[in-house]
Amino acid sequence: RIQGCVRECDTVARLGGDEFVLLINGHSGPESVRSLMERLLVAVAQPWTIDQGEFHVSCSIGIALHPEDGEDARTLLKHADSAMYRAKDSGRNNFQFFTRELNTLMTERLEMDGQLRRALDRQQFVLAYQPRVSLDGGGILAAEALLRWRIPNRGTIAPQRFIALAEETGLIVPIGKWVLQTACAQNKAWQEEGLPPIVVSVNVSARQFRQENIVQTVAEVLKETGLEARYLELELTESMVM
């Protein structure tokens, strides 16, 4: 389908997995490329019929132009890849051109990735507990454990800025286990201090939930911390359920 949208002088190559590279020779400018990308999105989006079943596939496209966005193949591929991630972050099934602003964002993303990989070892994560309060008596019925990342000299970083990156890199699995252990241990500590027992809910990411040993992991944490299972609630985010 991709080859059907381009000319004979263009090149279509499979880079690996589900990634393809399209080299457009002698294009007349961004508008001609934009027109081609629109045709490509429509072509890929046509349903596939396999064994009487209908399947829909979309694609996210990143575009880098020569020579504005790079003089060599390595740079052009790197910048097109950055633009492709912007397309994915923009809801998928669209195309994005590389921009200098995007280059700055990708540099920040790489820096954050490196810091995120060291954050657990450096004990930079903390949990905040949001209470669920009874409107009748004002008592605390339950609490939700909320992850926060505190970087020295940068302050506290909200989850929406790093959770997606952690999910993408797989770091969400060890981070999620730390959250589970810390929340269960804290809840048990509150009980031992004589406070009324409450349920603490912990968010479980899509990647964690797909782990084959998720049940075993939860069971081990409950055993290690001594918390009864009825005082732990696992919460699946709306995006994960969808």
Side-chain angles (χ1 to χ4, degrees):
R1 288 189 181 184
I2 297 174
Q3 287 177 326
C5 293
V6 301
R7 305 161 300 173
E8 288 187 7
C9 61
D10 299 325
T11 301
V12 177
R14 182 182 177 201
L15 191 63
D18 59 354
E19 288 192 332
F20 296 84
V21 171
L22 172 56
L23 177 63
I24 307 167
N25 291 306
H27 61 82
S28 58
E31 285 309 311
S32 67
V33 175
R34 185 185 300 275
S35 177
L36 171 58
M37 294 304 108
E38 289 172 349
R39 293 201 307 273
L40 195 58
L41 288 174
V42 171
V44 173
Q46 297 303 309
W48 298 86
T49 302
I50 303 173
D51 295 333
Q52 287 77 52
E54 190 171 273
F55 299 88
H56 295 267
V57 177
S58 64
C59 64
S60 302
I61 307 171
I63 306 160
L65 301 177
H66 176 276
E68 302 96 312
D69 302 328
E71 293 281 356
D72 58 88
R74 182 184 295 274
T75 303
L76 287 168
L77 279 171
K78 173 188 167 188
H79 288 170
D81 196 51
S82 299
M84 181 188 68
Y85 278 104
R86 165 63 69 86
K88 288 183 176 182
D89 291 340
S90 301
R92 301 176 184 267
N93 197 36
N94 69 92
F95 59 88
Q96 297 288 330
F97 285 88
F98 176 79
T99 63
R100 293 299 158 187
E101 175 196 9
L102 182 57
N103 193 36
T104 301
L105 291 173
M106 290 304 295
T107 301
E108 292 176 355
R109 176 191 174 94
L110 288 172
E111 182 183 346
M112 182 173 284
D113 181 37
Q115 291 178 330
L116 192 59
R117 292 179 185 278
R118 299 185 292 269
L120 265 179
D121 293 335
R122 295 178 178 179
Q123 299 181 332
Q124 293 177 346
F125 291 118
V126 294
L127 292 184
Y129 295 90
Q130 180 172 287
R132 191 184 306 159
V133 180
S134 167
L135 293 180
D136 291 334
I140 296 177
L141 303 176
E144 181 180 3
L146 303 173
L147 181 64
R148 298 291 182 265
W149 180 16
R150 290 178 181 166
I151 302 179
N153 304 320
R154 286 187 58 183
T156 301
I157 298 180
Q160 56 264 33
R161 287 191 57 198
F162 66 87
I163 289 296
L165 179 59
E167 187 92 33
E168 186 179 310
T169 59
L171 291 170
I172 195 67
V173 174
I175 292 173
K177 186 174 182 181
W178 176 87
V179 171
L180 187 64
Q181 288 173 321
T182 305
C184 288
Q186 180 63 78
N187 200 7
K188 182 63 176 178
W190 284 331
Q191 292 179 9
E192 291 177 345
E193 289 171 12
L195 294 172
I198 62 170
V199 172
V200 168
S201 65
V202 174
N203 288 312
V204 179
S205 78
R207 197 145 188 168
Q208 279 178 280
F209 195 67
R210 285 197 296 264
Q211 293 285 307
E212 291 183 1
N213 64 342
I214 179 67
V215 174
Q216 181 183 347
T217 298
V218 174
E220 288 174 354
V221 168
L222 289 172
K223 184 177 180 180
E224 289 169 8
T225 59
L227 184 71
E228 292 181 50
R230 59 182 170 147
Y231 297 122
L232 172 66
E233 181 178 88
L234 301 179
E235 186 172 325
L236 310 182
T237 62
E238 294 88 343
S239 59
M240 190 195 111
V241 173
M242 292 302 292

